[in-house]
Structures are given as structure tokens and as C-alpha cells.
Amino acid sequence: VRSTERERSDLSERARPRLSNFARRLFAEWERLSLPVRDERVVCGVSGGADSVALLLAVDELRKAGRLALGVTVAHLDHGLRGAAGEADAVWVRELARESGCECVVARADVGERAAASADNLEQAARRARYKFLGSTARACGARFVLVAHTMDDQAETVLLRLMRGSGGAGLGGMKTMRVLEENVVAQVEDVAFDEAGSAAAMPSFDSSSHPLMLARPLLRWARRVETEDYCAARQVDFRNDAMNADERFARVRVRHQLLPLMASFNPRIVEALARTSSLLRDEASALEVVAGELLKAASAEVENVDERTLDGETNNLPALRVDVLLDAPVALRRLALRRWIERGRGGLRRLELAHLEAVENLLAGERGGRTIQLPGGASVVRKRGLLYFKPY
Amino acid sequence: VRSTERERSDLSERARPRLSNFARRLFAEWERLSLPVRDERVVCGVSGGADSVALLLAVDELRKAGRLALGVTVAHLDHGLRGAAGEADAVWVRELARESGCECVVARADVGERAAASADNLEQAARRARYKFLGSTARACGARFVLVAHTMDDQAETVLLRLMRGSGGAGLGGMKTMRVLEENVVAQVEDVAFDEAGSAAAMPSFDSSSHPLMLARPLLRWARRVETEDYCAARQVDFRNDAMNADERFARVRVRHQLLPLMASFNPRIVEALARTSSLLRDEASALEVVAGELLKAASAEVENVDERTLDGETNNLPALRVDVLLDAPVALRRLALRRWIERGRGGLRRLELAHLEAVENLLAGERGGRTIQLPGGASVVRKRGLLYFKPY
């Protein structure tokens, strides 16, 4: 029976066009991530570098092999930092998209100006502008997923950059293979004209208000950067070299060109080791989030006395927390639970520093009855009779 | 009132000999770790390097200032790797101990021979021999605590070495400030002669069978290596330089001399950043251990059917685990709980590889009823009717 089964599977394999190893591995990860395989449109961020060109080519290969029946919108942002070179890249990506039979959206941002106007450095401002552009492109064409081509090498660099800043476990987990890019997206499918296979008519328009827009990184877990270059070469497609990738004023470039090679002299498989570490830490961080959520629930107090409840700020439906329950929990859980509680109360962690969180933690340890910790932006945390209250004003 | 209080505290400060900053910080950590301050003996591991000399000198300063009233036994192991240089270090440490009014125990091990006879490399064999010696010295003199002088720099090196091997969160937590060195120690206080202040007569002999022997690292959280050198210089005491600390065949030496300096070009406070990361990860790892223990308890099944119970191995009182409860838990918790369960069943994790753990995890995911995973050493894990059984043979 076994050999018959194998033959049958060989036959069905032979009936299909033979997939490259790269496309096969992409498809395995595609299924693992439960990415859509038919009847909708995805956005693919393409800078023109080997990573994103390989992603686009492999998606194209999977479409031609009949594994994917998706509309693809190539999205390219010219960050406005490299003048004519940036414009040439945009022209090049538009041509590549045309050859792959994909719709293409190109935009230009003045990232230098944005960085100057904000507290961001150039890399942060570029990232912010890029994800904003990818999100609005997805909204415009009714896509639920944006794909970006970060590799295992990018992950290793991210882990090292965060390590050198002293991150905890959540930060060292690095980039996620899948995350929410924007909550509660409202798609406007009807405004978009599709110009290639998988036309708008064939695509259901999702009730996107119930689908957050997701960012997926289908190369992150398995592809080395050199493999994306090799795959481009095998497909006889060139890619663009961004001069900024060689500019050693950028920390990431120095990690790539100096730090990782030195670490490879300790462990030749350093990139895989860092990727493995980050994956373990992501699992651990998400377990801690789950358990911290349970702790918050367990510590939430029913406040019956009306006078007490006004302390809670009335407009604010955040529960008061029982100090005794928090003190019983391991310190890392207590810290994370307080972080999430304050985040909910303030609508974010903006301008909140470790010192503020530590001050709130110290509120718990003290024997004294009533004390208040001021948070930036006017909110405060008050300890009174064994309970912790969040005051939004 | 305030100024009076301050004056009074200044006065009481003035009445005591003025402590160096180094000794003051050591004492703060000493109290934080709840290390004993009087009426017992501690063992202090002294190699003769700046770190351990500084620790011994600061303990001596605290004794002279009346902050500590402890007997101190200096323990020095000559690893037998450096011939006459090693012997000269031993003589030097013995003299330093004598000048500090401490008892001194010196021993010699042939670490090279031990490493050749085992699968250990030289560093592992040296560490093993050293801790064994420190433990037996503590037992011999009735101490509950062994102090070693690892600094924040050692911690940063440990974190990087483990990172480059692809460790998860528990490994990246690095060294602990306090850990059990040996369980259930039986002290033999009566066999030991004390030759300095804090004589045996003044020390209660602990019922040490109820006290595990602890290893403490009171410099780990706050002291930089250069601060130990500066403190030795301020005390006008020399220290020994171990030639092996400059031997770049050792990975740790290359981390110290090549990797950390390169990382300092990204963040001048890299050692502090790595120490901070490791401390956060230790907190997270110990929270996960607590919660994984709770998960094991929640997943433990009462097996009523006697036939089923025999599957459990009879001699083995490890509970069967409910597959549904395990599957409901976040993957990192499930993994850790299974690890601890198998560790208890086998009496250790020896020869157990990640692949074995993954195979057990996969037992859970499968829909099939009965399946068995063989573990190295003859034990196995069996899935049957929604339960996981550990079979020790």
C-alpha cells in the first residue's frame, strides 16, 4: 500500500510544473501562516533589493504553478533620500511588476523632512513612512495582508540592535512573522481598478471592519539573505543595491558588516542561532502576556463603596487592582500586568519610562496606606486601602 | 524635624569608620541578598585576580567597620594548568588571607587530566573542579554560603557566549546572584579548627541538612571589573594576572577582548545594557517556571482505572497529564511544563535533546490515539486516550 501511495503522490507532483526549492519553502511557510491562497488581493512591499525581488518572483512562480490564485499589488516607496537613484529604483520596480503581471503603486515621501520635523532618526522616519504607505495601499486595494521580505539575516540584526539597547525578552523576540498593521480597516474595494489576472470582479470585497490589516513576513523564519540573491540569479533577474545599505553611519549596516562577521568566528551558524533564540523568546513573551492578562483579571477588584469608585475616575472603566494579589505574583508578571493596566488607562505607553513603572511597583511594596504616583500626561496611580486606582486626570 | 534627623544620622555615620564606596555598595547588595551578617562562617573563593581580591578586601573592610561579624574561610584552587605560576598564586593568596585575618584552604586539582578523561573542555572541567572544591570546603567548615566574585563584566560575557549558542530566555538570564550549590548539606562543624576572629565556639552549628548550601555572587549586579581593580589600588593591594585570561584560544577571552569592545562602539554602556537584559530575562524565566508548575498541577490527571495506572509504571509516582489542558496552554508554557515533567520522571535531563522534547510536543498535536516516544536511557512517553503517561523503563 505504501509504495502505491508514494507513486500516486509522485504522479500528482509530476503533473504540476516543478517548483524551485525557494518557492516550495515559501509556500510551506505561506500555509503555516494561514495566508490566503485564492480569490483575494495581497500587497507586496518591494524596495528592489534582492529580498523583496525574490519574494515577488517566488509569489509569481507560485501563481504560475497554480498554487496561488491571488491578485498582487506591488507597493514601492521612494523615501526621497537618494535623489535620482531613488527615482531610478522606482522606475525599475514598476517595470519588474509589469513583467510579473502585477499592479504597482509607487509613492514618494520626503523622509528627510519628516525626520527633521519629528524626534525620529532617519531610519525610524523611513520605517514609519513605509508602513503608513503600505497600510494605505492595502486599504485602497482591499487587501487584508501586506507582505514584506525580511529575512533571517534581518531578524539577527534586529535582535543584536535591541540587545545592545538592553531590551528584555519581548524586545529580543525581534520581528514577528505576523502582526497587526492597522486595526479595523475599512476597505474601499470599489474605488480600485485591477489591471491584471485576478481582476477586481473575482475578488470578494471583505467586510474589512471586522478584519484588521495584517503584516506578514513569510521569509523571516527560513530564508537567508544570500538565498534570496541566489534565487534572483537562478531566475536571471537582477536586483537593485541601495547605497544606504553600505553606509556605515547606520548601526544596522555596521551590525551586518562588522558585528555579525565577528560573531560568526565564534559560531558559523550565528544567524540561525539568533533566529532560534528570538523565536524561543517570542513564544515566551506571548506566554507571559497571556498569564499577565489572567493576573490582571484575578487582581481586578469589585469596588462597592461609591466614594471609592469616584477615585477610579468615573469616566474610566479600568478596574482597581488588589495589591495583595499583585504581590503574590512573580515580579515579571506583576510588572507586565501593571504595564498593560496603565497602557489601557492612558490609551498607550507614550512618554512612560521605566522609572514610572518602577515607582508604581514600589507603591505595592510599601507598607504605607495612601500614596500617589504621577504619570506623564496628567494621569496618576493611587494606592488606597489595599487597592491600586488609576486616575486618568 | 527633618534637619535634626539628618544631623543625627550624620553623627551616627561619623561615629563609624568611613566606608569606601565599594564596600558600601557591597554591603547594600549583601543586605538585599539577605546574606548573613553575624555569628557564622562564609567561604570566599579567591583566585587572586582583581575581582576576588577586591571581594575579600571589602569583606575585610566591612568586618573591621563592624558591619559584618563573620568568620571567613578563603578557598583557593590551583587548577594545575599553569605549573609554577599556579603554585606562586596559591602562596600569594595564602599570604593575603593571613593578612586579612582569614582562615585559608588551598587545594590542587589536575584539571587537564580530568578534562581528558571526560567529555568536558578545559573551561568546563576547571569550573566543575572549582565548584566541587568550594562545596567541600563549605561543608568542612560548616558554612551555608559560598561567595564568588563574578562581576557585571563576567555576566555580560556569559550572556554573549550563550546568545551565540542560540539559548532561550533561561540561558540568556546568565548567572544568578544566588543559587543552590548543593542540596541537603550535612555540616561537620566540630571537625574544623578556626584560627582567627569569630572562632568556632562563637558560631552556631546549623542543622545543615535543612539548609542547602548556597552560592552567592554579591558583585554580579553592580560591580564593573575596572572598579575591582580601582578598589584594590585604593587599598594598595596588588592582585595576580592569570595568563589564561589573555589566551585568545578561549572563547570567553575573545568575547572580552574583541566582541565587547566592538559592541561598545554601538553603546558605550554595553556591559550595563547586557546585565540589565539578563536581569529582566531571569525574572521572566522564573515567572515562567512558576506558571509552568501551576500548569503541571492543573494538567495532572487522577487515573482511576487500574489498568491505566499500570501504564504509569507503578514504581513511578509521576501523574499522567491531560492532553487537552496542555494544548490549551501557550506553547512556551507547555514546552517548559513537559520538560519539568520528563525531568522529574527521568531524574534529570541528561542526554535529552530538543528533538526528543519536540517529539513529545508533537504527540499532543496529533489526532491519533496511542503513540509512544522513546527517550534516551530507556524511558518513554505514551499517549493514550487523551492522557500522557511517563514510563520509566
Side-chain angles (χ1 to χ4, degrees):
Chain A
V1 177
R2 237 182 206 204
S3 84
T4 318
E5 273 178 1
R6 186 172 301 159
E7 269 168 51
R8 198 177 304 135
S9 118
D10 280 0
L11 277 173
S12 76
E13 198 66 24
R14 238 174 275 148
R16 299 178 175 189
R18 187 166 171 77
L19 282 180
S20 68
N21 194 33
F22 191 87
R24 198 188 307 274
R25 286 160 83 194
L26 174 62
F27 192 66
E29 180 69 357
W30 200 282
E31 291 191 309
R32 204 191 65 86
L33 294 173
S34 304
L35 286 171
V37 292
R38 60 177 64 256
D39 299 337
E40 66 179 280
R41 176 165 293 277
V42 297
V43 168
C44 196
V46 177
S47 68
D51 304 350
S52 56
V53 170
L55 174 60
L56 180 60
L57 292 175
V59 167
D60 180 52
E61 185 182 340
L62 291 168
R63 291 207 299 174
K64 285 184 176 137
R67 301 290 181 97
L68 297 180
L70 295 166
V72 176
T73 297
V74 169
H76 174 87
L77 184 68
D78 176 359
H79 297 84
L81 295 169
R82 300 183 296 122
E87 284 167 33
D89 282 359
V91 170
W92 187 90
V93 167
R94 197 185 282 281
E95 175 60 19
L96 178 71
R98 202 189 53 74
E99 285 167 12
S100 313
C102 296
E103 179 183 74
C104 184
V105 179
V106 168
R108 194 169 182 284
D110 195 336
V111 167
E113 202 171 87
R114 289 194 202 188
S118 70
D120 287 354
N121 66 30
L122 218 52
E123 283 162 295
Q124 284 168 332
R127 186 167 46 238
R128 206 182 291 268
R130 197 159 55 240
Y131 284 121
K132 202 176 154 198
F133 164 67
L134 290 171
S136 64
T137 303
R139 276 199 306 279
C141 69
R144 294 188 300 154
F145 292 90
V146 169
L147 311 178
V148 287
H150 293 109
T151 61
M152 213 190 267
D153 294 70
D154 295 307
Q155 183 70 295
E157 292 158 16
T158 298
V159 170
L160 290 174
L161 285 165
R162 294 192 184 171
L163 178 75
M164 292 190 291
R165 285 201 298 262
S167 287
L172 292 182
M175 292 179 273
K176 293 179 176 156
T177 47
M178 182 85 87
R179 73 167 172 90
V180 172
L181 184 60
E182 291 175 12
E183 299 279 0
N184 300 324
V185 173
V186 180
Q188 304 169 309
V189 180
E190 61 283 5
D191 296 345
V192 177
F194 294 135
D195 59 359
E196 94 266 28
S199 70
M203 313 235 172
S205 100
F206 292 102
D207 173 14
S208 303
S209 60
S210 66
H211 292 289
L213 176 60
M214 302 302 292
L215 181 76
R217 297 184 170 100
L219 304 186
L220 191 70
R221 269 169 51 96
W222 60 276
R224 294 293 312 267
R225 187 173 289 137
V226 67
E227 291 175 304
T228 65
E229 292 169 2
D230 291 348
Y231 177 66
C232 288
R235 291 286 305 269
Q236 296 183 283
V237 174
D238 211 3
F239 51 86
R240 310 289 284 184
N241 285 308
D242 185 337
M244 289 171 80
N245 283 340
D247 186 339
E248 304 231 332
R249 281 172 305 175
F250 293 110
R252 183 175 286 273
V253 175
R254 288 215 300 129
V255 167
R256 188 177 305 160
H257 292 166
Q258 297 177 22
L259 188 55
L260 276 167
L262 177 57
M263 291 178 111
S265 74
F266 290 84
N267 176 0
R269 294 180 62 78
I270 184 67
V271 169
E272 288 83 355
L274 291 170
R276 187 185 118 79
T277 291
S278 70
S279 157
L280 290 171
L281 290 173
R282 277 200 304 283
D283 287 345
E284 291 173 8
S286 79
L288 286 170
E289 287 286 351
V290 169
V291 185
E294 288 166 5
L295 173 59
L296 265 189
K297 213 178 255 175
S300 295
E302 293 287 331
V303 180
E304 277 158 28
N305 182 319
V306 177
D307 285 346
E308 296 286 306
R309 203 151 48 205
T310 57
L311 244 184
D312 193 24
E314 278 178 353
T315 55
N316 156 27
N317 60 5
L318 208 59
L321 299 180
R322 287 178 51 184
V323 170
D324 59 342
V325 175
L326 292 173
L327 280 179
D328 253 9
V331 57
L333 282 179
R334 181 160 70 229
R335 194 176 290 155
L336 189 55
L338 284 173
R339 217 184 157 86
R340 292 294 163 257
W341 182 70
I342 292 172
E343 186 174 20
R344 273 172 55 196
R346 295 176 77 235
L349 290 169
R350 213 168 14 89
R351 287 177 52 212
L352 202 75
E353 283 162 32
L354 193 62
H356 300 119
L357 281 168
E358 282 171 354
V360 174
E361 281 178 56
N362 290 341
L363 259 192
L364 298 177
E367 288 300 311
R368 277 158 293 188
R371 264 186 67 208
T372 299
I373 301 294
Q374 292 293 337
L375 302 178
S380 58
V381 174
V382 181
R383 174 179 170 164
K384 196 170 169 186
R385 277 179 236 144
L387 292 177
L388 226 51
Y389 297 89
F390 185 86
K391 288 180 72 177
Y393 48 83
Chain B
V1 176
R2 234 176 211 208
S3 86
T4 318
E5 272 178 1
R6 186 172 301 161
E7 270 169 51
R8 199 177 304 136
S9 118
D10 281 359
L11 278 173
S12 77
E13 199 64 25
R14 239 174 274 149
R16 299 178 174 190
R18 187 166 172 76
L19 281 180
S20 69
N21 194 32
F22 190 89
R24 196 187 309 272
R25 286 160 83 195
L26 174 62
F27 192 66
E29 180 70 359
W30 199 282
E31 291 190 311
R32 204 192 64 87
L33 293 173
S34 304
L35 287 170
V37 293
R38 60 179 63 257
D39 300 336
E40 67 179 279
R41 176 164 294 276
V42 297
V43 168
C44 197
V46 178
S47 67
D51 304 351
S52 56
V53 171
L55 174 60
L56 180 60
L57 292 175
V59 167
D60 180 54
E61 185 182 341
L62 291 168
R63 291 206 302 174
K64 285 184 175 135
R67 301 289 182 99
L68 298 179
L70 295 166
V72 176
T73 297
V74 168
H76 174 87
L77 184 67
D78 176 359
H79 297 84
L81 295 169
R82 299 183 298 121
E87 284 167 32
D89 281 0
V91 169
W92 187 88
V93 167
R94 197 184 282 281
E95 175 60 20
L96 177 71
R98 202 190 54 74
E99 284 167 11
S100 314
C102 296
E103 178 183 73
C104 184
V105 178
V106 168
R108 193 169 184 285
D110 195 336
V111 167
E113 202 171 88
R114 288 194 202 189
S118 70
D120 287 355
N121 66 30
L122 219 53
E123 283 162 295
Q124 284 168 333
R127 186 167 47 238
R128 206 182 291 268
R130 196 160 56 241
Y131 285 121
K132 203 176 151 197
F133 164 68
L134 291 170
S136 64
T137 304
R139 277 198 307 279
C141 69
R144 294 187 300 154
F145 291 91
V146 170
L147 311 178
V148 288
H150 293 108
T151 60
M152 212 191 267
D153 294 71
D154 295 307
Q155 182 71 296
E157 292 158 16
T158 296
V159 169
L160 289 175
L161 286 166
R162 294 191 184 173
L163 178 75
M164 292 191 291
R165 285 201 298 262
S167 287
L172 292 183
M175 292 180 274
K176 294 180 174 154
T177 47
M178 182 86 86
R179 73 165 171 89
V180 172
L181 184 60
E182 290 175 15
E183 299 280 1
N184 301 324
V185 173
V186 180
Q188 304 169 308
V189 179
E190 59 285 6
D191 296 347
V192 177
F194 294 133
D195 59 359
E196 94 265 28
S199 71
M203 314 235 171
S205 99
F206 293 101
D207 172 14
S208 303
S209 59
S210 64
H211 292 289
L213 176 59
M214 301 302 291
L215 182 77
R217 297 185 170 101
L219 303 186
L220 192 69
R221 269 170 51 97
W222 60 275
R224 293 293 313 266
R225 188 172 289 139
V226 66
E227 290 175 305
T228 65
E229 293 168 2
D230 292 348
Y231 177 67
C232 289
R235 292 286 305 270
Q236 297 181 286
V237 175
D238 211 2
F239 52 86
R240 311 289 284 185
N241 285 308
D242 184 336
M244 290 171 79
N245 283 340
D247 186 339
E248 304 231 331
R249 282 173 305 175
F250 293 110
R252 183 175 287 273
V253 175
R254 288 216 298 129
V255 167
R256 189 177 305 159
H257 292 166
Q258 296 176 23
L259 188 55
L260 275 167
L262 176 57
M263 291 179 110
S265 74
F266 290 84
N267 176 359
R269 294 179 63 78
I270 183 67
V271 169
E272 289 82 355
L274 291 170
R276 187 184 117 80
T277 290
S278 70
S279 156
L280 289 171
L281 288 172
R282 277 200 304 284
D283 287 345
E284 291 174 8
S286 79
L288 285 170
E289 287 287 351
V290 169
V291 185
E294 288 166 5
L295 173 60
L296 265 189
K297 212 177 254 177
S300 295
E302 293 287 331
V303 180
E304 277 160 25
N305 181 320
V306 176
D307 286 345
E308 297 285 306
R309 203 153 47 206
T310 57
L311 245 184
D312 192 26
E314 280 180 350
T315 55
N316 157 28
N317 60 6
L318 207 59
L321 299 181
R322 287 178 51 185
V323 170
D324 58 342
V325 174
L326 291 173
L327 281 178
D328 252 10
V331 57
L333 282 178
R334 181 160 71 228
R335 193 177 291 155
L336 189 56
L338 284 173
R339 217 184 157 84
R340 291 294 163 256
W341 183 69
I342 292 173
E343 186 174 20
R344 273 172 54 196
R346 295 175 78 235
L349 290 170
R350 212 168 17 88
R351 288 176 52 215
L352 202 74
E353 284 160 31
L354 193 62
H356 299 119
L357 282 168
E358 282 171 354
V360 175
E361 281 179 57
N362 290 341
L363 258 192
L364 299 177
E367 288 300 310
R368 277 159 293 188
R371 264 185 68 207
T372 299
I373 301 294
Q374 292 294 337
L375 302 178
S380 58
V381 175
V382 181
R383 174 179 169 165
K384 196 171 169 185
R385 278 179 234 145
L387 291 177
L388 227 51
Y389 297 88
F390 185 87
K391 288 180 72 176
Y393 47 83

